[in-house]
PDB file of all heavy atoms in Angstrom:
ATOM      1  N   SER A 695      -0.887  91.790  11.721  1.00  0.00           N
ATOM      2  CA  SER A 695      -0.963  92.097  10.238  1.00  0.00           C
ATOM      3  C   SER A 695       0.347  92.513   9.611  1.00  0.00           C
ATOM      4  O   SER A 695       0.492  92.790   8.424  1.00  0.00           O
ATOM      5  CB  SER A 695      -1.962  93.238  10.080  1.00  0.00           C
ATOM      6  OG  SER A 695      -1.543  94.426  10.829  1.00  0.00           O
ATOM      7  N   TRP A 696       1.464  92.479  10.395  1.00  0.00           N
ATOM      8  CA  TRP A 696       2.748  92.873   9.939  1.00  0.00           C
ATOM      9  C   TRP A 696       3.334  91.689   9.264  1.00  0.00           C
ATOM     10  O   TRP A 696       3.284  90.545   9.734  1.00  0.00           O
ATOM     11  CB  TRP A 696       3.660  93.317  11.060  1.00  0.00           C
ATOM     12  CG  TRP A 696       3.440  94.735  11.541  1.00  0.00           C
ATOM     13  CD1 TRP A 696       2.875  95.043  12.825  1.00  0.00           C
ATOM     14  CD2 TRP A 696       3.659  95.886  10.958  1.00  0.00           C
ATOM     15  NE1 TRP A 696       2.757  96.387  12.821  1.00  0.00           N
ATOM     16  CE2 TRP A 696       3.244  96.982  11.711  1.00  0.00           C
ATOM     17  CE3 TRP A 696       4.281  96.279   9.775  1.00  0.00           C
ATOM     18  CZ2 TRP A 696       3.393  98.292  11.358  1.00  0.00           C
ATOM     19  CZ3 TRP A 696       4.359  97.596   9.380  1.00  0.00           C
ATOM     20  CH2 TRP A 696       3.921  98.641  10.210  1.00  0.00           C
ATOM     21  N   ILE A 697       4.011  91.880   8.141  1.00  0.00           N
ATOM     22  CA  ILE A 697       4.758  90.789   7.338  1.00  0.00           C
ATOM     23  C   ILE A 697       6.128  91.135   7.393  1.00  0.00           C
ATOM     24  O   ILE A 697       6.634  92.159   7.046  1.00  0.00           O
ATOM     25  CB  ILE A 697       4.242  90.782   5.863  1.00  0.00           C
ATOM     26  CG1 ILE A 697       2.727  90.403   5.770  1.00  0.00           C
ATOM     27  CG2 ILE A 697       5.014  89.764   5.063  1.00  0.00           C
ATOM     28  CD1 ILE A 697       2.137  90.692   4.337  1.00  0.00           C
ATOM     29  N   GLY A 698       6.839  90.246   7.922  1.00  0.00           N
ATOM     30  CA  GLY A 698       8.344  90.287   8.129  1.00  0.00           C
ATOM     31  C   GLY A 698       9.145  89.780   6.986  1.00  0.00           C
ATOM     32  O   GLY A 698       8.636  89.029   6.165  1.00  0.00           O
ATOM     33  N   ARG A 699      10.373  90.105   7.024  1.00  0.00           N
ATOM     34  CA  ARG A 699      11.329  89.643   5.864  1.00  0.00           C
ATOM     35  C   ARG A 699      11.475  88.200   5.898  1.00  0.00           C
ATOM     36  O   ARG A 699      11.400  87.473   4.815  1.00  0.00           O
ATOM     37  CB  ARG A 699      12.637  90.342   6.071  1.00  0.00           C
ATOM     38  CG  ARG A 699      12.586  91.831   5.833  1.00  0.00           C
ATOM     39  CD  ARG A 699      12.317  92.207   4.460  1.00  0.00           C
ATOM     40  NE  ARG A 699      13.349  91.546   3.560  1.00  0.00           N
ATOM     41  CZ  ARG A 699      14.439  92.123   3.212  1.00  0.00           C
ATOM     42  NH1 ARG A 699      14.781  93.267   3.745  1.00  0.00           N
ATOM     43  NH2 ARG A 699      15.268  91.523   2.216  1.00  0.00           N
ATOM     44  N   LEU A 700      11.685  87.615   7.052  1.00  0.00           N
ATOM     45  CA  LEU A 700      11.887  86.073   7.188  1.00  0.00           C
ATOM     46  C   LEU A 700      10.761  85.333   6.570  1.00  0.00           C
ATOM     47  O   LEU A 700      10.929  84.402   5.714  1.00  0.00           O
ATOM     48  CB  LEU A 700      12.358  85.647   8.468  1.00  0.00           C
ATOM     49  CG  LEU A 700      12.389  84.180   8.814  1.00  0.00           C
ATOM     50  CD1 LEU A 700      13.688  83.714   7.929  1.00  0.00           C
ATOM     51  CD2 LEU A 700      12.740  83.817  10.252  1.00  0.00           C
ATOM     52  N   GLU A 701       9.547  85.545   6.976  1.00  0.00           N
ATOM     53  CA  GLU A 701       8.517  84.829   6.561  1.00  0.00           C
ATOM     54  C   GLU A 701       8.089  85.086   5.136  1.00  0.00           C
ATOM     55  O   GLU A 701       7.620  84.276   4.428  1.00  0.00           O
ATOM     56  CB  GLU A 701       7.199  85.000   7.549  1.00  0.00           C
ATOM     57  CG  GLU A 701       6.935  86.606   7.734  1.00  0.00           C
ATOM     58  CD  GLU A 701       6.012  86.778   8.898  1.00  0.00           C
ATOM     59  OE1 GLU A 701       5.399  85.807   9.276  1.00  0.00           O
ATOM     60  OE2 GLU A 701       5.841  87.983   9.340  1.00  0.00           O
ATOM     61  N   TYR A 702       8.362  86.327   4.643  1.00  0.00           N
ATOM     62  CA  TYR A 702       8.092  86.566   3.276  1.00  0.00           C
ATOM     63  C   TYR A 702       9.215  85.842   2.291  1.00  0.00           C
ATOM     64  O   TYR A 702       8.637  85.276   1.244  1.00  0.00           O
ATOM     65  CB  TYR A 702       8.225  88.076   2.918  1.00  0.00           C
ATOM     66  CG  TYR A 702       7.962  88.428   1.564  1.00  0.00           C
ATOM     67  CD1 TYR A 702       6.676  88.430   0.982  1.00  0.00           C
ATOM     68  CD2 TYR A 702       9.012  88.707   0.691  1.00  0.00           C
ATOM     69  CE1 TYR A 702       6.449  88.687  -0.335  1.00  0.00           C
ATOM     70  CE2 TYR A 702       8.826  88.989  -0.705  1.00  0.00           C
ATOM     71  CZ  TYR A 702       7.556  88.988  -1.315  1.00  0.00           C
ATOM     72  OH  TYR A 702       7.343  89.270  -2.548  1.00  0.00           O
ATOM     73  N   ASP A 703      10.296  85.758   2.890  1.00  0.00           N
ATOM     74  CA  ASP A 703      11.294  85.044   1.979  1.00  0.00           C
ATOM     75  C   ASP A 703      10.976  83.504   1.767  1.00  0.00           C
ATOM     76  O   ASP A 703      11.231  82.915   0.836  1.00  0.00           O
ATOM     77  CB  ASP A 703      12.681  85.055   2.582  1.00  0.00           C
ATOM     78  CG  ASP A 703      13.319  86.538   2.452  1.00  0.00           C
ATOM     79  OD1 ASP A 703      12.843  87.334   1.666  1.00  0.00           O
ATOM     80  OD2 ASP A 703      14.131  86.951   3.171  1.00  0.00           O
ATOM     81  N   ARG A 704      10.190  82.993   2.796  1.00  0.00           N
ATOM     82  CA  ARG A 704       9.827  81.691   2.812  1.00  0.00           C
ATOM     83  C   ARG A 704       8.561  81.428   2.162  1.00  0.00           C
ATOM     84  O   ARG A 704       8.455  80.347   1.379  1.00  0.00           O
ATOM     85  CB  ARG A 704       9.857  81.142   4.260  1.00  0.00           C
ATOM     86  CG  ARG A 704      11.221  81.028   4.936  1.00  0.00           C
ATOM     87  CD  ARG A 704      11.097  80.322   6.270  1.00  0.00           C
ATOM     88  NE  ARG A 704      12.388  80.407   7.006  1.00  0.00           N
ATOM     89  CZ  ARG A 704      12.629  79.777   8.162  1.00  0.00           C
ATOM     90  NH1 ARG A 704      11.569  79.201   8.835  1.00  0.00           N
ATOM     91  NH2 ARG A 704      13.752  79.859   8.773  1.00  0.00           N
ATOM     92  N   LEU A 705       7.562  82.227   2.418  1.00  0.00           N
ATOM     93  CA  LEU A 705       6.207  81.902   1.896  1.00  0.00           C
ATOM     94  C   LEU A 705       5.701  82.890   0.776  1.00  0.00           C
ATOM     95  O   LEU A 705       4.835  82.456   0.080  1.00  0.00           O
ATOM     96  CB  LEU A 705       5.208  82.008   2.995  1.00  0.00           C
ATOM     97  CG  LEU A 705       5.510  80.871   4.124  1.00  0.00           C
ATOM     98  CD1 LEU A 705       4.397  81.086   5.143  1.00  0.00           C
ATOM     99  CD2 LEU A 705       5.333  79.586   3.558  1.00  0.00           C
ATOM    100  N   GLY A 706       6.421  83.986   0.484  1.00  0.00           N
ATOM    101  CA  GLY A 706       5.947  84.984  -0.436  1.00  0.00           C
ATOM    102  C   GLY A 706       4.582  85.500  -0.275  1.00  0.00           C
ATOM    103  O   GLY A 706       4.172  85.687   0.915  1.00  0.00           O
ATOM    104  N   ALA A 707       3.839  85.701  -1.245  1.00  0.00           N
ATOM    105  CA  ALA A 707       2.505  86.279  -1.245  1.00  0.00           C
ATOM    106  C   ALA A 707       1.460  85.338  -0.606  1.00  0.00           C
ATOM    107  O   ALA A 707       0.356  85.912  -0.212  1.00  0.00           O
ATOM    108  CB  ALA A 707       1.991  86.675  -2.627  1.00  0.00           C
ATOM    109  N   ARG A 708       1.805  84.195  -0.296  1.00  0.00           N
ATOM    110  CA  ARG A 708       0.821  83.295   0.441  1.00  0.00           C
ATOM    111  C   ARG A 708       0.572  83.721   1.808  1.00  0.00           C
ATOM    112  O   ARG A 708      -0.515  83.347   2.452  1.00  0.00           O
ATOM    113  CB  ARG A 708       1.359  81.801   0.432  1.00  0.00           C
ATOM    114  CG  ARG A 708       1.292  81.129  -0.937  1.00  0.00           C
ATOM    115  CD  ARG A 708       1.864  79.715  -0.750  1.00  0.00           C
ATOM    116  NE  ARG A 708       3.332  79.771  -0.510  1.00  0.00           N
ATOM    117  CZ  ARG A 708       4.068  78.672  -0.190  1.00  0.00           C
ATOM    118  NH1 ARG A 708       3.464  77.514  -0.152  1.00  0.00           N
ATOM    119  NH2 ARG A 708       5.386  78.828   0.012  1.00  0.00           N
ATOM    120  N   LEU A 709       1.469  84.607   2.302  1.00  0.00           N
ATOM    121  CA  LEU A 709       1.330  85.112   3.748  1.00  0.00           C
ATOM    122  C   LEU A 709       0.013  85.898   3.794  1.00  0.00           C
ATOM    123  O   LEU A 709      -0.476  86.087   4.856  1.00  0.00           O
ATOM    124  CB  LEU A 709       2.464  86.000   4.104  1.00  0.00           C
ATOM    125  CG  LEU A 709       3.691  85.283   4.589  1.00  0.00           C
ATOM    126  CD1 LEU A 709       4.916  86.282   4.670  1.00  0.00           C
ATOM    127  CD2 LEU A 709       3.399  84.737   5.988  1.00  0.00           C
ATOM    128  N   LEU A 710      -0.425  86.655   2.721  1.00  0.00           N
ATOM    129  CA  LEU A 710      -1.575  87.403   2.785  1.00  0.00           C
ATOM    130  C   LEU A 710      -2.812  86.756   3.331  1.00  0.00           C
ATOM    131  O   LEU A 710      -3.757  87.458   3.878  1.00  0.00           O
ATOM    132  CB  LEU A 710      -1.768  88.090   1.412  1.00  0.00           C
ATOM    133  CG  LEU A 710      -0.631  89.037   0.907  1.00  0.00           C
ATOM    134  CD1 LEU A 710      -0.880  89.424  -0.560  1.00  0.00           C
ATOM    135  CD2 LEU A 710      -0.734  90.247   1.760  1.00  0.00           C
ATOM    136  N   ALA A 711      -2.870  85.494   3.072  1.00  0.00           N
ATOM    137  CA  ALA A 711      -4.151  84.773   3.618  1.00  0.00           C
ATOM    138  C   ALA A 711      -4.186  84.689   5.130  1.00  0.00           C
ATOM    139  O   ALA A 711      -5.172  84.643   5.743  1.00  0.00           O
ATOM    140  CB  ALA A 711      -4.021  83.345   3.092  1.00  0.00           C
ATOM    141  N   TYR A 712      -2.976  84.925   5.796  1.00  0.00           N
ATOM    142  CA  TYR A 712      -2.891  84.821   7.200  1.00  0.00           C
ATOM    143  C   TYR A 712      -2.639  86.130   7.847  1.00  0.00           C
ATOM    144  O   TYR A 712      -3.097  86.347   9.020  1.00  0.00           O
ATOM    145  CB  TYR A 712      -1.600  83.948   7.753  1.00  0.00           C
ATOM    146  CG  TYR A 712      -1.692  82.619   7.305  1.00  0.00           C
ATOM    147  CD1 TYR A 712      -0.879  82.044   6.132  1.00  0.00           C
ATOM    148  CD2 TYR A 712      -2.524  81.575   7.804  1.00  0.00           C
ATOM    149  CE1 TYR A 712      -0.908  80.800   5.699  1.00  0.00           C
ATOM    150  CE2 TYR A 712      -2.465  80.269   7.386  1.00  0.00           C
ATOM    151  CZ  TYR A 712      -1.714  79.895   6.335  1.00  0.00           C
ATOM    152  OH  TYR A 712      -1.741  78.631   5.858  1.00  0.00           O
ATOM    153  N   LYS A 713      -2.249  87.100   7.096  1.00  0.00           N
ATOM    154  CA  LYS A 713      -1.788  88.482   7.546  1.00  0.00           C
ATOM    155  C   LYS A 713      -2.902  89.567   7.400  1.00  0.00           C
ATOM    156  O   LYS A 713      -2.900  90.540   8.148  1.00  0.00           O
ATOM    157  CB  LYS A 713      -0.535  88.920   7.037  1.00  0.00           C
ATOM    158  CG  LYS A 713       0.717  88.062   7.493  1.00  0.00           C
ATOM    159  CD  LYS A 713       0.960  88.187   8.906  1.00  0.00           C
ATOM    160  CE  LYS A 713       2.275  87.529   9.337  1.00  0.00           C
ATOM    161  NZ  LYS A 713       2.507  87.794  10.724  1.00  0.00           N
TER     162      LYS A 713
END
Side-chain angles (χ1 to χ4, degrees):
S695 60
W696 287 105
I697 299 175
R699 293 292 302 277
L700 175 61
E701 49 193 350
Y702 179 77
D703 291 339
R704 293 186 181 180
L705 295 180
R708 289 178 293 171
L709 275 170
L710 293 170
Y712 302 103
K713 292 293 186 176

